[in-house]
Amino acid sequence: MDLILIRHPAPAIEAGICYGKTDVPLAGDAAESAHALAARLAALAAPLPHRVASSPLRRCAELAQRLAPLLGRTYDSDARLQEIDFGEWEGQRWDAIDRAALDAWSADLRHARAHGGESVAQFEARVDAWLDMCRESAAPDASVLAVTHAGVMRMIAALLLGEAIETTLAWPLEMAAVVWLRRGGETGEWCVVHWNV
C-alpha cells in the first residue's frame, strides 16, 4: 500500500499566528498549485491513487478539489484529517500566548490541554482512526492520497514508522511538501519513499 500525503500550500494568514483548526484560505491560486503538484507526483513516478481524501479546511479542500480531477479521481472530505485544535490559542500570535501555558503544554505534550482544545493524545486517536479506515478498506496494492496538514502528516509518520511524535515534529516539512510512505515486503512494515519533496 502506498500512502501519499500532501501538505497544503501557504495559507492567507500572517506568519507567527497559531491557526491549527482555524479555517483560512490559500494565499495563492489553488489551480496553479494543483497543476504543479500533479507534475511533481508524475516526476516522482507516484502511483495514481485509488482514493483521494482531504481535510475539510479550505486550505486543503481548495487544493484537493482541483488536484483530484487531474488524477482522474474525485475527493472525499474527512474531518479526521484536520489539523490539531489549539482551542483558545487559535488566531493568536504564538509570541503573545502566555509563556507559562506554553511551558505547561510542552512539559506534558501528549496529555496537556492548556489551550482547551485537543491534547496530542486525542489528536493521535483521531488520526489513527483515519489510518485504521484506510488499512481496512484498501487493498494491499492500493494507493491513497491525502491533502492535509503538517501536524497530521507528522502524526501519521510517527504512527506508521513507530517513531515518537517528538521525533517527527523535528523533521522538515515545507508548504506543499509531498510525503510518500509505503507498506510492503515480507514483513509488511512501513518505510519512507520520499519525505518533504
Side-chain angles (χ1 to χ4, degrees), residues 23 25 31 33 41 50 53 69 71 73 88 91 93 109 120 125 166 170 186-187 191 195:
D23 196 9
S33 295
L41 291 170
H50 294 87
L71 304 175
R73 299 289 180 261
E88 64 186 30
R93 292 193 59 77
L109 187 62
V120 170
E166 292 83 356
E186 293 179 11
T187 61
C191 66
W195 183 271

Side-chain angles (χ1 to χ4, degrees), residues 84-86 89 101-125 155 165-166 169:
I84 192 168
D85 180 359
F86 286 108
W89 294 353
L102 285 169
D103 289 344
W105 180 58
S106 64
D108 184 15
L109 187 62
R110 289 197 52 75
H111 302 289
R113 294 178 57 226
H115 45 61
E118 284 180 293
S119 69
V120 170
Q122 290 170 323
F123 176 58
E124 176 181 5
M155 182 58 76
I165 188 63
E166 292 83 356
L169 283 171

